[in-house]
Amino acid sequence: MFTDRKDEAMEAAGAGHAPSAQLSLAHAVDHGGAASSPRPSSHRQARIASFADRYHEWREHASLRLSGLDLAPDLARDIGSRRWLRGVATLVGLSAIAIAGFPGFSEVEAAPAMRIDADVRDEFRSHMIMPLALGADSGRRMGATPAVIPLASAPERPRLDLVATLAQGDSFERMLRRAGVDDAEAAQITRMVGAAIPLTEIESGTKVDITLGRRPAEGASRPVDALSFRARFDLALAVERKDGRLVLDPRPIAVDTTPLRIRAAVGSSLYRSARASGAPPRSVQQFLRVIGTEMSLTGDIRPGDEFDLIVDYKRAATGEVEEGELLYAGILRNGRPVKQLMRWGRDGKYYDTAGVGEQREGLLAPVPGPVTSRYGMRRHPILGYRRMHAGLDFRAAHGTPIYAVTDGRVTFAGRNGGHGNFVRLAHSGGLGTGYAHMSRIAVSHGQQVRRGQVIGYVGSTGLSTGPHLHYEMYRNGQAIDPATVKFVTREQLSGRELADFRAQLNRLQGVAPGAALAPLAAPAAANEEPAREIDRLERRQQIVS
């Protein structure tokens, strides 16, 4: 609390103590005169000092009074009371003041950097896109004025060069029609091209160069003077008009099919070493995937080893290159092969030098879904007592496809008591699998199935509380925990197929590294495009069908 200084002095005198001396501004400032005869300015200084003291006392009293008003109480307490309402009123008032002082978004005007008169404005306008609306191109070229006299008829171009593109799902004949070819000639050209190559072998995105001649009469369609395109990697087709008739001219293209072989040392990174040696990125990825199924890329392959890869490679005499699949993958150490794998068969599987296929792991889960009940003792949800649950339950929606976890033969397909619709498969090594509660069975007894083949669909037949798959596994007829088994399959070549495989392996190993990059012989002069054809291609117009 604050008290008056006079009261403090009186209290001090009543207590038997001498009043404390107070030093005024007039005493603190000595101008060389006697204290009993101060200068005239000392009265003014005393008044200033007394005013400061009074202002200080007033401010202290005002602070005490304002603190007692409690204008900003805690609004989380005493909700609804007068004190709380007073705080809400303070909040609303301050918010209104803040919103009233919110800055605006009015435009800021400034004087232009230069004086713009009519001539300058017209100069700016000539460089805008606005003249295009009046028929001009750019700059000072403006639209036609009434002084321009239009021609009665404009002369037609004697020849029209364009490019049509075969879109995905489109037909060759429809593409020609959209490019402006007459219906009869489009059908005729399609028949001629179809006799040289199946139309289904022409890939989407193929560009066709078309030259349309002068119209025979006003309103008639332009006739086709020439047409050419790359039908295959090793074949170009051209249609030309000779003596008034369209003639097909097949132009075979010489192609070198020597496989691309790259062999180099492994550095700190197998991928970087292969890419630095010039191997295509896709081929390097295939090489890592194939070798990774047989060896550890980080543990089994060491710096200083050699990698050996062979890629299907085609080079056309016209300069185009086509990279195919990885044909051979090998790792060498001290000049001796550690692992050799070659692609073989229609399925594109890789086999080692003994004809043993690459290791393939079977599917662990026959359906895509979480396991809701594991192998072991449990309380049956329908029967109500504890008994052995000899499998895994997978949660899946009704109708979800069920896949065979590995290759096998169907030994049972039908109704099987509490299992409902049930399929049992026999696999090699005395293993078997069972699939229960199916809504529908997709295989029959005795049928051979492949890994990943659909054998049925999820349902809720038999003793089941809802759609799910009950999956069992057996070893020599006894149920085992499916979670402890991982299928690994390998194929073995034999007989005539093994002999053909080894012959192909010997041919690939006889390819010298870099032989596919040797310069090709110059193409025959008969297959070269004439100079006028180059001029025509430079002036052609792009049309995408």
Side-chain angles (χ1 to χ4, degrees), residues 323-367:
E323 300 166 358
E325 300 292 334
L326 178 72
L327 302 179
Y328 173 85
I331 296 292
L332 296 90
R333 182 171 300 154
N334 299 325
R336 297 181 178 180
V338 176
K339 182 62 63 176
Q340 294 176 297
L341 297 171
M342 191 187 77
R343 184 185 180 93
W344 182 257
R346 295 181 179 179
D347 297 336
K349 298 180 181 180
Y350 291 85
Y351 298 82
D352 61 13
T353 55
V356 179
E358 59 181 322
Q359 176 175 312
R360 291 175 176 261
E361 296 182 355
L363 301 173
L364 177 62
V367 293

Side-chain angles (χ1 to χ4, degrees), residues 121-142:
R121 186 178 295 105
D122 186 66
E123 179 71 20
F124 286 163
R125 180 179 176 275
S126 67
H127 294 283
M128 297 167 58
I129 198 172
M130 187 183 302
L132 295 177
L134 304 177
D137 293 333
S138 62
R140 289 183 172 276
R141 296 176 57 189
M142 300 299 176

Side-chain angles (χ1 to χ4, degrees), residues 380-466:
H380 196 279
I382 296 179
L383 302 178
Y385 58 86
R386 290 179 58 83
R387 73 172 190 173
M388 185 66 182
H389 182 239
L392 299 177
D393 286 347
F394 290 89
R395 180 189 303 166
H398 189 278
T400 302
I402 303 172
Y403 304 98
V405 296
T406 191
D407 299 347
R409 182 175 58 87
V410 180
T411 58
F412 182 87
R415 196 80 179 184
N416 186 22
H419 284 158
N421 292 332
F422 182 74
V423 170
R424 184 164 180 166
L425 304 179
H427 311 288
S428 60
L431 294 177
T433 54
Y435 311 82
H437 307 308
M438 293 184 178
S439 62
R440 184 164 61 91
I441 297 174
V443 292
S444 57
H445 180 79
Q447 179 180 346
Q448 293 288 336
V449 296
R450 304 285 293 178
R451 182 175 66 97
Q453 180 178 339
V454 176
I455 59 175
Y457 300 90
V458 172
S460 185
T461 56
L463 293 178
S464 172
T465 58

Side-chain angles (χ1 to χ4, degrees), residues 157 159-163 209-211 226 228 528-541:
R157 296 176 58 183
R159 188 178 67 179
L160 183 62
D161 300 320
L162 51 91
V163 175
D209 302 327
I210 304 174
T211 300
S228 62
E528 293 181 354
E529 295 287 347
R532 60 181 181 84
E533 185 74 8
I534 297 177
D535 297 336
R536 182 182 68 81
L537 294 178
E538 290 178 350
R539 297 191 302 267
R540 67 191 179 187
Q541 179 182 356

Side-chain angles (χ1 to χ4, degrees), residues 209-451:
D209 302 327
I210 304 174
T211 300
L212 301 179
R214 189 186 298 275
R215 301 178 191 273
E218 185 177 358
S221 300
R222 288 177 175 267
V224 176
D225 283 350
L227 180 148
S228 62
F229 67 99
R230 186 73 167 265
R232 272 197 322 254
F233 190 74
D234 59 346
L235 177 64
L237 295 179
V239 176
E240 296 181 353
R241 186 175 295 276
K242 297 181 179 180
D243 299 331
R245 297 177 55 189
L246 292 177
V247 179
L248 179 66
D249 181 18
R251 299 174 180 176
I253 300 174
V255 175
D256 180 22
T257 59
T258 303
L260 175 63
R261 185 173 189 177
I262 299 177
R263 179 174 174 179
V266 177
S268 59
S269 170
L270 178 56
Y271 178 83
R272 293 180 181 177
S273 301
R275 291 289 293 121
S277 301
R282 179 170 175 267
S283 302
V284 176
Q285 293 175 358
Q286 287 183 319
F287 180 86
L288 296 178
R289 180 185 61 81
V290 172
I291 291 295
T293 60
E294 301 290 334
M295 305 176 64
S296 173
L297 298 178
T298 57
D300 296 338
I301 301 177
R302 310 169 188 172
D305 293 347
E306 289 184 294
F307 66 88
D308 189 5
L309 62 88
I310 302 177
V311 182
D312 188 13
Y313 199 71
K314 296 179 181 179
R315 288 186 303 163
T318 52
E320 293 83 4
V321 173
E322 186 177 85
E323 300 166 358
E325 300 292 334
L326 178 72
L327 302 179
Y328 173 85
I331 296 292
L332 296 90
R333 182 171 300 154
N334 299 325
R336 297 181 178 180
V338 176
K339 182 62 63 176
Q340 294 176 297
L341 297 171
M342 191 187 77
R343 184 185 180 93
W344 182 257
R346 295 181 179 179
D347 297 336
K349 298 180 181 180
Y350 291 85
Y351 298 82
D352 61 13
T353 55
V356 179
E358 59 181 322
Q359 176 175 312
R360 291 175 176 261
E361 296 182 355
L363 301 173
L364 177 62
V367 293
V371 176
T372 58
S373 182
R374 297 193 173 273
Y375 181 88
M377 296 296 296
R378 69 163 189 178
R379 182 181 179 86
H380 196 279
I382 296 179
L383 302 178
Y385 58 86
R386 290 179 58 83
R387 73 172 190 173
M388 185 66 182
H389 182 239
L392 299 177
D393 286 347
F394 290 89
R395 180 189 303 166
H398 189 278
T400 302
I402 303 172
Y403 304 98
V405 296
T406 191
D407 299 347
R409 182 175 58 87
V410 180
T411 58
F412 182 87
R415 196 80 179 184
N416 186 22
H419 284 158
N421 292 332
F422 182 74
V423 170
R424 184 164 180 166
L425 304 179
H427 311 288
S428 60
L431 294 177
T433 54
Y435 311 82
H437 307 308
M438 293 184 178
S439 62
R440 184 164 61 91
I441 297 174
V443 292
S444 57
H445 180 79
Q447 179 180 346
Q448 293 288 336
V449 296
R450 304 285 293 178
R451 182 175 66 97

